[in-house]
Amino acid sequence: MKRYVIVLIVFIGIVSEIYGQIDYLNLSDSSKTLVGASRIGDYSTYLNGKQVAIVGNQTSVIGNTHLVDTLVSLGVTISKIFCPEHGFRGEAEAGAKVNSSVDLKTGISIVSLYGNNKKPTQEQLSGVQIVLFDLQDVGVRFYTYISTLHYVMEACAENNIPLIVLDRPNPNGYFVDGPTLKSDCKSFVGMHPVPIAYGLTIGEYAQMINGEKWLKNGVQCKLTVVSALNYSHNTRYHLPIAPSPNLQTMRSIYLYPSLCLFEGTPISIGRGTNTPFEIVGNPKLEISDFSFTPHAIPGKSDNPPCKDQLCKGYDLGEFSEQYLRKSNGIIIFWIIDLYKKYPDKKEFFTPFFDKLAGDKSLKEMIIAGKTEEQIRASWQLELKAFKVIRKKYLLYPDFE
């Protein structure tokens, strides 16, 4: 009788978590989507009696409850938490040092996978028998969660530890666009030969890393992907939780594949304001009546570009979400336009731009005065080749 009651309580808890996830979403065409983490019954058997490590952050939730709290309440032994850029609770700005610590709620040790410790060490994985990976990606090559995924997969492969990826939809998963990364531009903001927007969920991306043997020495990890339900690459998925401190709205997430390139220029994209990744400007521009002044915002932008300086520019948040969702591509008009209008051309592109673009030719074509149509045409053969590779790893109905 006692066992029956325990099973019933667990079942009720799982059902409430799942339906909580449904209620938490707020966009009509994603309202029935269930993330992989919600499918506890499909991966809990792998965890029974095991020492489990979780790679997660503030987006690792089932309904309104964190994955760690849910699994602990179900009796799962979690021995360690690994967190990516921005930290476990997602409170650190881009590029900020994230110190390892202890989760105050559970007392579980937290290890940062950013800065000098991007890959779990053998010592850090000591005693771990299985790793759960649950991060909300945004589907853009320079968003570093897929780089963290790469290093976690590599560490798991080298230490013979199974990895389970709890999949989540890609809010930018309805198109593929941008230059494909070249080897001479490889860095933590771009590790694989994929376009800027690659149109895959993080679970599909994990399968591609494994299948294409992109890990060191061609090793492959023991990978299981728990897919999302009721999702396709035509679904416009509204994120229930901001994936990082400066992506707070769906407009910013839709604009991110286009605007992040400005981080390799003197142009501010609004860090240090209430609308990061929705506005662009610089003190040297005189192009419109729109202006903004970045200030230090603890936890989001401690030292933003153009700090305390009046920037003239454009409010791109005026583009409706509906327009952005229908654009199906990266908008490069803005970076061409602001390069032309920026008075000091020689200082416009920083070395970081090539790492973000993944291909030095983008900068070269803009400097040479190529049109947006000419630049986009230069990507097409590589995009076509990538789409052939991408098709092999799809878990969901495609957008084309």
Side-chain angles (χ1 to χ4, degrees):
M1 182 64 182
K2 183 178 179 181
R3 182 178 179 182
Y4 170 78
V5 171
I6 292 173
V7 171
L8 181 61
I9 291 171
V10 171
F11 175 77
I12 292 171
I14 292 171
V15 170
S16 65
E17 295 290 356
I18 290 175
Y19 280 93
Q21 179 72 20
I22 294 174
D23 293 337
Y24 203 48
L25 301 177
N26 58 0
L27 193 66
S28 59
D29 55 357
S30 66
S31 61
K32 296 181 180 179
T33 301
L34 293 180
V35 299
S38 293
R39 304 178 60 190
I40 299 175
D42 290 285
Y43 61 90
S44 60
T45 54
Y46 294 102
L47 312 181
N48 291 338
K50 301 287 180 60
Q51 293 286 327
V52 180
I54 289 181
V55 183
N57 63 5
Q58 78 286 351
T59 67
S60 310
V61 296
I62 304 173
N64 297 320
T65 306
H66 199 281
L67 175 66
V68 169
D69 300 330
T70 299
L71 294 182
V72 167
S73 72
L74 295 177
V76 175
T77 302
I78 300 174
S79 58
K80 193 158 294 184
I81 297 168
F82 293 99
C83 67
E85 182 179 8
H86 308 299
F88 182 53
R89 297 296 176 186
E91 297 171 344
E93 66 173 308
K97 183 178 181 180
V98 179
N99 294 317
S100 300
S101 58
V102 172
D103 181 37
L104 295 179
K105 186 171 184 178
T106 61
I108 300 171
S109 173
I110 299 175
V111 177
S112 171
L113 295 180
Y114 194 64
N116 295 327
N117 185 53
K118 295 181 175 67
K119 177 179 173 180
T121 65
Q122 185 176 22
E123 181 181 0
Q124 290 166 348
L125 289 171
S126 177
V128 172
Q129 295 172 292
I130 193 164
V131 175
L132 275 181
F133 186 103
D134 184 25
L135 294 175
Q136 177 62 65
D137 189 38
V138 298
V140 183
R141 188 183 63 225
F142 32 69
Y143 201 66
T144 60
Y145 293 170
I146 55 171
S147 298
T148 296
L149 172 68
H150 173 106
Y151 283 124
V152 169
M153 290 179 67
E154 195 168 273
C156 284
E158 291 170 351
N159 291 278
N160 197 31
I161 299 173
L163 173 69
I164 300 176
V165 174
L166 304 179
D167 209 10
R168 292 179 179 267
N170 175 0
N172 287 308
Y174 54 92
F175 68 98
V176 172
D177 200 20
T180 298
L181 181 89
K182 307 303 184 297
S183 59
D184 60 344
C185 294
K186 186 176 179 180
S187 71
F188 191 62
V189 294
M191 298 185 67
H192 310 119
V194 302
I196 287 176
Y198 44 78
L200 295 166
T201 66
I202 204 159
E204 292 171 325
Y205 201 96
Q207 293 192 147
M208 185 167 63
I209 290 175
N210 235 12
E212 298 302 305
K213 297 185 177 181
W214 287 339
L215 301 178
K216 185 178 179 181
N217 299 321
V219 297
Q220 294 177 298
C221 79
K222 296 177 181 177
L223 175 68
T224 300
V225 177
V226 180
S227 60
L229 296 180
N230 304 317
Y231 170 74
S232 81
H233 284 285
N234 277 317
T235 303
R236 300 302 192 259
Y237 183 75
H238 228 232
L239 301 190
I241 295 174
S244 51
N246 285 288
L247 290 180
Q248 293 291 322
T249 67
M250 290 309 299
R251 284 190 303 276
S252 66
I253 288 167
Y254 294 137
L255 284 164
Y256 179 75
S258 304
L259 296 197
C260 194
L261 290 170
F262 281 111
E263 304 249 66
T265 76
I267 305 298
S268 166
I269 47 76
R271 291 187 187 274
T273 74
N274 292 326
T275 52
F277 288 100
E278 296 185 31
I279 55 180
V280 291
N282 183 274
K284 293 184 178 182
L285 292 172
E286 293 290 342
I287 55 178
S288 73
D289 293 331
F290 175 75
S291 65
F292 61 91
T293 303
H295 298 292
I297 302 177
K300 286 189 176 182
S301 298
D302 291 336
N303 188 29
C306 307
K307 178 183 174 182
D308 299 329
Q309 300 177 65
L310 181 69
C311 297
K312 291 287 188 71
Y314 299 133
D315 182 359
L316 303 179
E318 293 179 353
F319 283 79
S320 69
E321 289 183 27
Q322 189 72 12
Y323 170 81
L324 290 169
R325 295 206 309 267
K326 289 182 177 179
S327 64
N328 291 347
I330 293 170
I331 301 171
I332 58 169
F333 166 79
W334 297 317
I335 200 158
I336 295 171
D337 177 63
L338 292 189
Y339 171 75
K340 290 178 179 178
K341 293 174 178 175
Y342 193 75
D344 299 323
K345 299 286 189 294
K346 290 184 178 180
E347 70 174 38
F348 189 83
F349 292 107
T350 72
F352 191 49
F353 183 86
D354 288 338
K355 292 182 179 180
L356 293 169
D359 187 337
K360 294 178 180 179
S361 69
L362 176 57
K363 173 186 67 182
E364 293 165 355
M365 286 187 286
I366 293 172
I367 292 173
K370 300 292 185 181
T371 65
E372 182 173 5
E373 291 73 20
Q374 289 172 318
I375 293 172
R376 296 186 67 82
S378 72
W379 302 338
Q380 297 313 307
L381 285 178
E382 289 181 340
L383 287 178
K384 185 177 180 180
F386 171 74
K387 286 181 178 181
V388 172
I389 296 171
R390 172 182 173 272
K391 287 281 187 184
K392 296 188 292 183
Y393 304 107
L394 293 178
L395 294 169
Y396 313 96
D398 203 8
F399 55 77
E400 60 181 19

